[in-house]
Amino acid sequence: MENKRKKLFPLIIAVIVTALMVFCFFCKPIYYRIYPFDRIKGDIEISIDGQLFSPESSNFHNKSRCDDISVKTKDNISFVSIKGGKYGGYSFTIDIPEVNKPIEVQVFQPNWWNKIDFYLSVDIDTENNKIMYGYDFEQNDSQSVTIGESRNNLNDEKLSVSFGL
């Protein structure tokens, strides 16, 4: 009888743990509150006069609340991830040699538990002194995606794009 209890106890624990994992996966409010990975992730693609530019991680700099920014570049796309986890804005800058000033990217995290994925396209036209931004922004793997664009003149005092509000 005692031998059966010893065999049954790990099975019961395994069933309980599996049930909790399934519950957390299907119950999104709990899943996003215990999400252990970086909460802000994005893909950034930059082109200058139609040519793709591949920035190195040294081109990215912390600005506001991005002390733990991580950047990897592959095939001319930069993959950015920020720990996040606090309400408010997160910003970083990108230095591009052909532009004499940094481009500031501001991402707003509406709630501390939100998981944010974004795609940012930066098109620089040095001949016409224009810079155009296009972005997709998604929270918590939702079906609703915010798509937007903005423009700056390269002669503007500040070059920036913001999203997430």
Side-chain angles (χ1 to χ4, degrees):
M1 180 77 169
E2 192 172 310
N3 193 20
K4 285 184 179 180
R5 282 188 182 176
K6 285 183 180 180
K7 289 181 180 179
L8 193 58
F9 184 72
L11 181 64
I12 291 172
I13 296 298
V15 167
I16 290 172
V17 168
T18 303
L20 285 173
M21 289 173 60
V22 168
F23 176 75
C24 289
F25 180 75
F26 289 107
C27 188
K28 295 296 184 181
I30 293 172
Y31 171 74
Y32 288 114
R33 282 173 173 76
I34 62 172
Y35 188 75
F37 308 108
D38 291 341
R39 292 183 177 273
I40 301 172
K41 296 179 183 178
D43 301 339
I44 300 175
E45 188 173 48
I46 301 171
S47 69
I48 302 170
D49 296 326
Q51 299 292 327
L52 288 175
F53 172 71
S54 182
E56 301 294 323
S57 60
S58 61
N59 293 91
F60 290 81
H61 303 284
N62 305 333
K63 176 98 176 171
S64 171
R65 301 170 73 182
C66 289
D67 297 333
D68 51 359
I69 188 170
S70 171
V71 180
K72 295 177 184 166
T73 302
K74 181 180 178 185
D75 298 331
N76 296 319
I77 296 178
S78 297
F79 304 98
V80 176
S81 62
I82 302 166
K83 189 70 176 160
K86 294 182 182 171
Y87 170 84
Y90 292 81
S91 62
F92 58 92
T93 59
I94 307 169
D95 290 333
I96 300 173
E98 288 79 357
V99 180
N100 293 331
K101 54 190 117 189
I103 297 171
E104 183 176 355
V105 179
Q106 302 168 336
V107 182
F108 189 80
Q109 188 171 19
N111 296 307
W112 67 265
W113 62 82
N114 286 124
K115 178 179 157 288
I116 296 168
D117 293 305
F118 69 90
Y119 170 78
L120 174 64
S121 170
V122 180
D123 296 316
I124 300 170
D125 183 357
T126 57
E127 187 175 312
N128 295 318
N129 275 343
K130 299 281 183 195
I131 184 168
M132 293 160 280
Y133 312 97
Y135 59 85
D136 299 343
F137 177 87
E138 179 183 21
Q139 292 185 87
N140 296 341
D141 302 322
S142 68
Q143 297 297 332
S144 63
V145 176
T146 303
I147 299 172
E149 64 178 44
S150 63
R151 298 168 189 251
N152 281 131
N153 189 310
L154 287 176
N155 296 326
D156 288 350
E157 185 176 318
K158 182 178 177 182
L159 302 177
S160 68
V161 60
S162 304
F163 46 87
L165 287 172

